[in-house]
């Protein structure tokens, strides 16, 4: 036999070896040792022998003879080896198909429907099961490495499906990257990845949820020749309003900020955040008024929630939440502290280099700000809470639970507050997913890899991306190991390629397909992306993987599902080897098409595999472990089929419908604080006092916490509440009888804020106060700006301020507003010196009054001083302004 026919020689030896063993079996009962059992015994895996074992136990001699005839028909020695290998692979596929042929089609479809219904039922059960911190007991029949992970859920009720009060306005913010609704350029750069797809699909799903009126997704407007012109359009409709429902749908709103003609990466966007905040604020205010005129009789419809995605949008949301007095929600997606630690562990960059490259310190500061301002933080997994958010100063898991319990019991938190962490896995749209049994409809795949392959490439029914992938592969019959990500170092594609190149058994058993975004010229890509792709090409050459690895340059977003289908048809496996994966949306997509998965053990995949039971977890730094996991799934057809069945059975736990219901249910329990400012006089209908104050306890009007404690040693909470109700009633009567109720200053072209307190040693105002006010007003008039407004800011109480202005012979009506008691109170002279209730609510939010009161008294006392060294100044004391009289007890040296 010729020297070039080693594969053929091994094939014959395998037949003889297996044949000798089968003669020793009793009554023709044969058993094939499982692949993983052989591995445990330390035997070398031989792909040739494995194929022959399948052939011997599945086909008779006539089938082998026909195959052998085709092999001998080839003349060229090199051609003969490739042809023989392809034929064996075809026989193996036929064997697997023959063993599955008994599966009846009708019964299969019926069972699938039942399994999907059961999956939806299981999802509802899981989402209502237990609370934070409770452990979920589950099966681990696929891999012992998948540990039981608690599913964090709240005691909230699922969002109702009724049509009542359908007027919610929701604002989502995602600044960086290229955001558009159709033909998303995912993978174009490190900023345009899974987050872009997530926020777009979330906006669409929320807009289709009952009781949601409008959803706005705010992002940056980019009018640059470097990108498509669609990214410069100020408004893009994501979903059309539903007929007859009265809702507005979902829209992408692009806010100008930074250089208009330049695409700016997220690391360089920080200086332009204030400009984005201003633009977003104007849009939200105008939209709230427009929606109010449309459906609320003129009353503005303020956002139900402002949701920031990533650190930059989190900082924007924090500012908007404070300015508009609207609850804020934060989703980190990827966290700076965690990335900082991972980069330091790699040892390639110093702290200074990391900060210079990623602006990581600025990013961490924004995350801390967002964490402090947020009412709720949405995470994808339990691990994200414990191992990533736990690194931040603004969050402590145990303390957050204690504070939540104290709030539920009505006990003071002493000024401490933390956002609530909730786990809500991202959803997926299953409407376009079509699942076929891998044993059915193989005609299109056979046409690509059969003798008429050239003709099939011109067949319009064959997806072009299939042809693009197949042209790289010498033997496209093999199962496909699919990796789909952008070319980013943290996606760890190079370790995957090393694992494939160093495992000969895996190379003979499978092909590797790398979908690494889109590229025209590697040299024109970013530094990180180009370095990853250059390393990939070097590893391909080092291990001589030509014909075994596909790495197409281009693919469309609409073709991604076709790539998953191709992998499933070849009985392939999907892998996500990222160093850290916050969630792993591609794992959900792969599971929807019935693909078993191999995934990193760091991050979201732990929870996903715990729910789906459809694959194996690996250490992303261990290339041998990666190869072993892939080899096990590809070689063990029973394990592969079990993972596939589990994927299709459990995938409906991850749907956008369930995601939105849980999302809105959690937000409903956030602090209900929304602005009510009207810039025009709108008649306020009378309402029963019982209705207007039915939530009085939620407005921080309970001054006693437990028992019969007294406030300031005078009145208990019941008496103060009674006095407050009487005061509000009098104020309502006064406002209705006020002749000037219809007046308001209108929009000013300029505004002067006079912040001054001019006292003498006796605490009395001096003449300099009058001259200061007069000079500022004279300057404002001299500028000739037209309508000029003045605001007076002082540390005195309203009574003291009015007396001071009277003494200075300055009319109080000359001011648009008075800010008194060191910024804690805001009054409008043009509204009968009425206080601003929205401003009061804004200051009251998270105001640690009790803690400040006790802390100031304790810290202000001198060591060894008397109890009366510091006393409360009751005359100007208010709930948000603490005033003290301090005696001088300094010792003379």
């Amino acid at each position: 036999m010729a020297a070039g026919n080693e594969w053929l020689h091994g094939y014959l030896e395998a037949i003889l070896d297996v044949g000798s063993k089968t003669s020793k079996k009793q009554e023709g009962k044969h058993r094939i040792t499982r692949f993983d059992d052989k591995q445990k015994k330390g035997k070398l895996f031989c792909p040739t022998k494995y194929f022959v074992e399948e052939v011997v136990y599945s086909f008779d001699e006539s089938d082998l003879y026909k195959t052998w005839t085709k092999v001998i028909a080839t003349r060229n020695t090199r051609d003969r080896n490739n042809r023989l290998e392809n034929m064996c692979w075809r026989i193996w596929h036929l064997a697997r198909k023959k063993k599955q042929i008994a599966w009846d089609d009708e019964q299969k479809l019926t069972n699938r429907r039942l399994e999907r219904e059961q999956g939806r039922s299981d999802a509802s059960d899981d989402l209502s099961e237990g609370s934070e911190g409770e452990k979920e007991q589950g099966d681990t029949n696929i891999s012992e490495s998948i540990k039981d992970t608690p599913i964090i859920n709240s005691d909230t009720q699922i969002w109702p499906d009724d049509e009542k009060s359908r007027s919610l306005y929701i604002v989502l913010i995602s600044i960086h990257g290229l955001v558009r609704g159709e033909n998303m350029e995912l993978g174009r750069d490190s900023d345009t990845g899974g987050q872009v797809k997530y926020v777009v699909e979330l906006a669409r799903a929320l807009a289709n949820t009952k009781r949601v009126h409008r959803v706005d997704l705010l992002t940056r407007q980019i009018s640059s020749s470097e990108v498509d012109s669609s990214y410069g359009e100020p408004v893009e409709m994501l979903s059309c309003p539903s007929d007859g429902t009265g809702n507005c749908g979902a829209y992408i709103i692009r806010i100008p900020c930074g250089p208009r003609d330049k695409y700016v990466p997220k690391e360089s966007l920080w200086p332009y955040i204030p400009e984005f905040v201003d633009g977003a604020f104007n849009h939200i205010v105008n939209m709230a008024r427009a929606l109010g005129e449309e459906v609320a009789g003129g009353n503005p419809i303020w956002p139900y929630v402002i949701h920031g995605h990533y650190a930059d949008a989190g900082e924007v949301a924090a500012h908007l939440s404070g300015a508009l007095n609207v609850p804020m929600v934060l989703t980190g997606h990827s966290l700076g502290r965690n990335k900082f630690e991972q980069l330091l562990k790699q040892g390639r960059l110093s702290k200074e280099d990391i900060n210079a490259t990623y602006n990581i310190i600025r990013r961490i500061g924004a995350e801390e700000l967002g964490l402090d301002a947020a009412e709720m933080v949405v995470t994808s997994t339990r691990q994200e809470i414990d191992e990533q958010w736990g690194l931040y100063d603004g969050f402590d898991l145990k303390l957050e639970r204690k504070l939540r319990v104290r709030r539920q019991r009505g006990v003071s938190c002493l000024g401490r507050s933390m956002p609530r962490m909730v786990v809500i896995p991202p959803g997926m749209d299953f409407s376009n997913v079509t699942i076929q049994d891998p044993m059915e409809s193989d005609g299109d795949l056979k046409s690509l890899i059969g003798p008429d392959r050239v003709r099939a490439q011109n067949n319009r029914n064959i997806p072009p991306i299939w042809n693009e992938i197949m042209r790289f592969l010498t033997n496209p019959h093999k199962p496909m190991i699919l990796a789909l990500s952008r070319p980013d170092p943290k996606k760890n594609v190079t370790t995957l390629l090393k694992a494939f190149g160093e495992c000969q058994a895996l190379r003979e058993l499978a092909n590797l397909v790398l979908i690494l975004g889109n590229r025209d010229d590697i040299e024109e890509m970013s530094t990180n992306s180009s370095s990853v792709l250059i390393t990939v090409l070097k590893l391909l050459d080092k291990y001589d993987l030509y014909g075994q690895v596909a790495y197409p340059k281009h693919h469309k977003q609409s073709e991604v599902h076709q790539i998953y289908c191709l992998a499933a048809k070849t009985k392939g496996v999907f892998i996500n080897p990222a160093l850290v994966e916050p969630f792993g949306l591609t794992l959900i997509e792969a599971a929807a098409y019935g693909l078993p998965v191999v995934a990193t053990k760091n991050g979201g995949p732990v929870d996903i595999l715990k729910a789906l039971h459809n694959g194996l977890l690996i250490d992303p730094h261990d290339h041998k472990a990666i190869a072993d996991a892939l080899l096990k799934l590809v070689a063990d057809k029973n394990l592969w089929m079990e993972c596939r069945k589990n994927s299709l059975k459990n995938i409906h736990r991850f749907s956008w419908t369930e995601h939105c219901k849980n999302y809105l249910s959690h937000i409903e329990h956030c602090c209900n604080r929304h602005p009510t400012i009207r810039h025009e006089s709108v008649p306020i209908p009378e309402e029963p006092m019982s209705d207007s104050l039915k939530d009085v306890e939620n407005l921080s009007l309970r001054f006693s916490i437990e028992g019969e404690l007294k406030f300031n040693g005078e009145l208990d909470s019941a008496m103060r509440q009674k006095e407050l109700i009487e005061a509000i009633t009098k104020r309502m009567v006064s406002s209705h009888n006020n002749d000037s109720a219809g007046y308001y200053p209108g929009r000013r072209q300029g505004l002067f804020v006079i912040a001054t307190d001019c006292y003498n040693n006796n605490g009395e105002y001096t003449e300099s106060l009058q001259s200061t006010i007069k000079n500022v007003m004279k300057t404002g008039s001299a500028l000739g700006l037209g309508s000029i407004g003045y605001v007076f800011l002082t540390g005195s109480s309203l009574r003291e301020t009015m007396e001071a202005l009277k003494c200075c012979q300055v009319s109080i009506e000359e001011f648009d507003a008075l800010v008194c008691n060191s910024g804690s109170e805001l009054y409008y002279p043009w509204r009968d010196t009425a206080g601003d209730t929205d401003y009061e609510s804004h200051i009251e939010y998270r105001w640690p009054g009790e803690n400040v009161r006790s802390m100031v008294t304790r810290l202000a006392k001198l060591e060894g001083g008397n109890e009366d060294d510091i006393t409360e100044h009751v005359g100007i004391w208010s709930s948000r302004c603490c005033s003290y009289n301090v005696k001088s007890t300094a010792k003379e040296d």
Side-chain angles (χ1 to χ4, degrees):
M1 197 171 287
N5 290 336
E6 294 85 358
W7 210 95
L8 180 61
H9 190 59
Y11 175 76
L12 295 176
E13 286 183 346
I15 290 180
L16 295 175
D17 186 26
V18 175
S20 63
K21 290 183 179 180
T22 59
S23 62
K24 299 179 182 180
K25 301 293 181 179
Q26 296 180 358
E27 300 178 359
K29 294 181 179 179
H30 310 298
R31 297 189 337 181
I32 300 177
T33 307
R34 288 174 61 91
F35 169 73
D36 49 356
D37 293 337
K38 290 182 179 181
Q39 291 292 88
K40 292 178 181 178
K41 295 179 181 179
K43 294 184 179 181
L44 181 63
F45 173 67
C46 176
T48 307
K49 187 173 180 180
Y50 177 75
F51 304 148
V52 173
E53 287 178 347
E54 291 290 328
V55 172
V56 169
Y57 290 113
S58 302
F59 288 88
D60 55 23
E61 294 181 359
S62 61
D63 294 321
L64 291 176
Y65 178 75
K66 292 178 182 178
T67 303
W68 191 255
T69 301
K70 292 182 180 180
V71 173
I72 296 177
T74 57
R75 296 181 180 180
N76 183 279
T77 303
R78 181 178 178 182
D79 234 6
R80 183 179 300 173
N81 288 335
N82 292 335
R83 188 69 176 273
L84 178 57
E85 184 178 357
N86 289 344
M87 288 298 176
C88 288
W89 270 104
R90 179 171 295 178
I91 292 173
W92 187 45
H93 277 280
L94 289 173
R96 298 177 72 169
K97 183 174 181 179
K98 188 174 181 180
K99 291 184 178 181
Q100 298 293 329
I101 202 69
W103 192 0
D104 182 77
D105 291 344
E106 279 187 30
Q107 187 63 38
K108 177 186 59 182
L109 293 175
T110 302
N111 291 340
R112 188 171 298 167
R113 290 193 202 100
L114 294 175
E115 289 171 352
R116 287 178 178 175
E117 292 298 328
Q118 183 63 37
R120 294 190 186 99
S121 176
D122 292 344
S124 299
D125 294 342
D126 287 342
L127 290 170
S128 61
E129 222 173 44
S131 60
E132 287 82 345
E134 293 180 350
K135 298 290 183 179
E136 180 196 29
Q137 301 298 328
D139 298 331
T140 54
N141 57 326
I142 297 301
S143 171
E144 295 180 358
S145 64
I146 306 175
K147 300 179 180 179
D148 287 343
T149 306
I151 297 179
I152 294 190
N153 294 296
S154 71
D155 50 2
T156 60
Q157 296 180 351
I158 297 298
W159 188 252
D161 287 333
D162 57 73
E163 293 284 348
K164 297 179 181 179
S165 303
R166 188 184 177 90
S167 59
L168 301 185
Y169 173 37
I170 296 176
V171 175
L172 309 177
I173 306 175
S174 181
I175 300 179
H176 64 261
L178 301 173
V179 183
R180 66 182 179 187
E182 302 297 333
N183 299 321
M184 289 179 278
E185 301 182 76
L186 303 182
R188 170 169 176 155
D189 57 23
S190 59
D191 292 356
T192 310
Q195 177 181 331
V196 172
K197 183 177 181 181
Y198 174 87
V199 294
V200 169
E201 292 188 353
L202 175 61
R204 284 197 179 112
L206 285 171
N208 293 328
T209 303
K210 296 180 179 179
R211 298 175 61 189
V212 175
H213 186 69
R214 179 185 172 105
V215 179
D216 281 347
L217 171 56
L218 309 186
T219 189
R220 178 173 175 260
Q221 186 180 33
I222 307 170
S223 303
S224 170
S225 58
E226 303 174 11
V227 300
D228 190 80
S229 59
S230 60
Y231 299 111
E233 295 294 330
V235 179
E236 177 184 347
M237 178 180 287
L238 285 177
S239 64
C240 298
S242 303
D243 295 336
T245 59
N247 68 325
C248 293
Y251 299 84
I252 294 178
I253 307 298
R254 297 186 175 93
I255 308 294
C257 77
R260 305 296 174 85
D261 58 345
K262 184 179 179 181
Y263 176 59
V264 182
K266 61 178 179 291
E267 291 81 9
S268 303
L269 275 177
W270 299 108
Y272 313 117
I273 293 294
E275 184 181 356
F276 190 93
V277 172
D278 291 341
F281 180 86
N282 290 332
H283 167 78
I284 293 173
V285 171
N286 292 333
M287 183 55 61
R289 292 175 181 169
L291 293 176
E293 293 176 358
E294 178 184 349
V295 298
N299 294 323
I301 297 181
W302 300 102
Y304 189 64
V305 67
I306 296 178
H307 189 162
H309 295 265
Y310 197 77
D312 46 14
E315 181 171 326
V316 173
H319 291 303
L320 292 175
S321 173
L324 294 170
N325 203 27
V326 172
M328 172 196 165
V329 174
L330 175 65
T331 298
H333 290 278
S334 173
L335 300 182
R337 286 194 187 275
N338 185 65
K339 182 174 183 177
F340 194 31
E341 287 192 354
Q342 292 290 334
L343 292 173
L344 288 176
K345 287 180 181 179
Q346 292 180 3
R348 300 172 185 172
L349 299 173
S350 64
K351 292 183 178 180
E352 292 74 18
D353 292 336
I354 294 173
N355 190 48
T357 304
Y358 299 101
N359 214 342
I360 203 77
I361 303 301
R362 178 68 175 84
R363 173 180 170 182
I364 292 173
E367 289 166 341
E368 292 282 9
L369 174 63
L371 194 61
D372 183 62
E375 290 268 3
M376 184 175 80
V377 175
V378 176
T379 68
S380 301
T381 64
R382 174 81 238 177
Q383 189 181 42
E384 184 179 345
I385 299 175
D386 296 338
E387 300 182 10
Q388 297 185 42
W389 282 115
L391 300 173
Y392 286 78
D393 299 333
F395 180 75
D396 180 86
L397 181 60
K398 294 182 179 179
L399 180 58
E400 187 273 334
R401 288 175 178 168
K402 292 179 180 179
L403 293 175
R404 178 151 38 91
V405 170
R406 291 175 71 92
R407 286 194 298 268
Q408 291 173 351
R409 295 177 179 176
V411 180
S412 172
C413 295
L414 301 178
R416 297 300 302 270
S417 62
M418 282 187 183
R420 184 173 187 180
M421 297 279 175
V422 295
V423 175
I424 311 177
M428 180 179 173
D429 182 10
F430 300 105
S431 59
N432 297 324
V433 176
T434 56
I435 303 172
Q436 292 182 340
D437 188 79
M439 303 308 166
E440 300 176 349
S441 304
D442 285 340
D444 48 2
L445 182 59
K446 288 182 179 179
S447 65
L448 277 178
I449 59 181
D452 56 345
R453 180 175 178 180
V454 176
R455 184 177 61 188
Q457 292 178 352
N458 298 323
N459 189 345
R460 294 182 179 180
N461 295 327
I462 301 300
I465 190 63
W466 288 19
N467 292 325
E468 182 66 18
I469 292 173
M470 291 292 187
R471 72 183 181 87
F472 286 89
L473 306 175
T474 303
N475 183 4
H477 296 77
K478 298 180 182 180
M480 176 192 298
I481 298 172
L482 173 63
L484 191 153
S485 69
R486 62 180 185 272
D488 191 288
K490 64 184 180 183
K491 296 302 180 182
N492 202 31
V493 179
T494 54
T495 304
L496 168 62
L497 200 56
K498 182 179 179 181
F500 184 78
E502 295 186 1
C503 183
Q504 187 64 31
L506 188 60
R507 291 172 58 176
E508 294 182 2
L509 196 61
N511 293 317
L512 178 62
V513 177
L514 303 175
I515 308 296
L516 303 176
N518 292 279
R519 62 186 183 278
D520 291 318
D521 188 347
I522 294 180
E523 294 183 355
E524 295 179 357
M525 302 181 72
S526 63
T527 303
N528 288 336
S529 299
S530 60
S531 64
V532 170
L533 290 170
I534 290 173
T535 304
V536 166
L537 296 177
K538 288 181 178 179
L539 290 174
L540 285 171
D541 191 72
K542 175 182 178 180
Y543 295 111
D544 193 17
L545 298 176
Y546 300 104
Q548 298 174 336
V549 178
Y551 42 98
K553 294 182 66 173
H554 299 282
H555 73 280
K556 300 177 182 177
Q557 180 62 27
S558 58
E559 294 176 326
V560 171
H561 76 280
Q562 296 170 348
I563 299 174
Y564 288 124
C565 286
L566 179 59
K569 282 181 176 293
T570 61
K571 321 297 186 299
V573 175
F574 181 82
I575 180 169
N576 182 337
L579 297 174
V580 177
E581 184 58 66
F583 179 67
L585 192 58
T586 52
L587 297 174
I588 302 297
E589 294 175 347
Y593 291 89
L595 275 174
V597 300
V598 173
T600 176
K601 67 177 183 179
N602 299 328
V606 176
D607 286 356
I608 294 176
L609 268 66
K610 176 65 176 62
L612 298 180
H613 300 284
N614 69 327
L616 304 172
L617 295 173
I618 47 91
D619 180 357
H621 299 282
D622 188 349
H623 68 277
K624 189 176 184 305
I626 295 175
D628 290 343
L630 290 170
L631 195 57
K632 184 174 183 179
L633 278 176
V634 172
D636 192 335
K637 62 180 181 300
N638 293 325
L639 179 60
W640 187 93
M641 185 56 67
E642 184 182 358
C643 290
R644 174 181 171 81
K645 289 180 180 178
N646 288 340
S647 294
L648 300 178
K649 177 181 179 181
N650 300 319
I651 189 59
H652 285 278
R653 298 187 179 194
F654 299 90
S655 69
W656 277 119
T657 301
E658 295 300 323
H659 176 96
C660 292
K661 286 184 178 180
N662 283 279
Y663 174 83
L664 293 172
S665 298
H666 283 292
I667 293 176
E668 191 175 26
H669 287 72
C670 290
C671 181
N672 186 15
R673 51 190 186 97
H674 300 97
T676 58
I677 296 176
R678 287 173 297 277
H679 297 281
E680 296 180 359
S681 178
V682 179
I684 305 174
E686 292 276 2
E687 64 175 345
M689 185 59 61
S690 58
D691 292 338
S692 63
L693 295 179
K694 61 184 179 181
D695 295 325
V696 70
E697 292 187 355
N698 293 333
L699 298 175
S700 302
L701 299 178
R702 288 184 58 189
F703 294 100
S704 65
I705 300 174
E706 292 179 321
E708 297 293 329
L709 296 179
K710 306 293 183 179
F711 179 83
N712 202 20
E714 296 179 359
L715 299 175
D716 59 18
S717 60
M719 289 297 297
R720 288 192 60 82
Q721 184 170 320
K722 181 179 179 181
E723 288 188 0
L724 181 62
I725 293 174
E726 293 176 354
I728 293 177
T729 305
K730 293 178 181 179
R731 176 63 195 145
M732 290 174 63
V733 174
S734 173
S735 62
H736 284 296
N737 296 330
N738 185 15
D739 295 335
S740 61
Y743 168 78
Y744 72 102
R747 185 178 294 274
R748 298 295 195 182
Q749 294 182 356
L751 191 68
F752 283 82
V753 178
I754 305 173
T756 181
D757 278 311
C758 303
Y759 305 105
N760 56 25
N761 293 333
N762 298 323
E764 300 173 347
Y765 281 99
T766 62
E767 296 180 357
S768 59
L769 176 63
Q770 180 180 9
S771 60
T772 300
I773 296 175
K774 292 291 185 180
N775 289 336
V776 172
M777 290 185 172
K778 183 178 179 180
T779 303
S781 301
L783 292 176
L785 296 178
S787 180
I788 300 295
Y790 300 94
V791 175
F792 186 59
L793 194 152
T794 175
S796 303
S797 65
L798 176 62
R799 178 181 57 80
E800 292 174 330
T801 302
M802 295 178 69
E803 292 177 356
L805 294 177
K806 185 177 180 180
C807 294
C808 295
Q809 298 180 351
V810 177
S811 175
I812 191 174
E813 283 77 15
E814 295 188 40
F815 294 96
D816 287 352
L818 301 176
V819 183
C820 303
N821 277 344
S822 301
S824 64
E825 298 171 2
L826 178 61
Y827 299 95
Y828 300 110
W830 51 272
R831 274 180 25 187
D832 195 20
T833 322
D836 189 325
T837 56
D838 286 326
Y839 184 77
E840 180 181 354
S841 175
H842 176 71
I843 298 297
E844 186 71 35
Y845 176 64
R846 291 186 178 178
W847 168 247
E850 299 173 12
N851 197 32
V852 169
R853 182 180 180 183
S854 61
M855 188 64 68
V856 168
T857 305
R858 180 160 51 89
L859 294 179
K861 288 182 179 179
L862 297 176
E863 185 177 355
N866 300 322
E867 289 293 330
D868 58 350
D869 284 345
I870 178 170
T871 58
E872 296 177 358
H873 187 5
V874 182
I876 58 173
W877 182 282
S878 70
S879 60
R880 288 165 299 281
C881 180
C882 303
S883 180
Y884 298 89
N885 296 318
V886 181
K887 292 182 179 180
S888 176
T889 56
K891 296 180 180 180
E892 297 182 1
D893 295 330

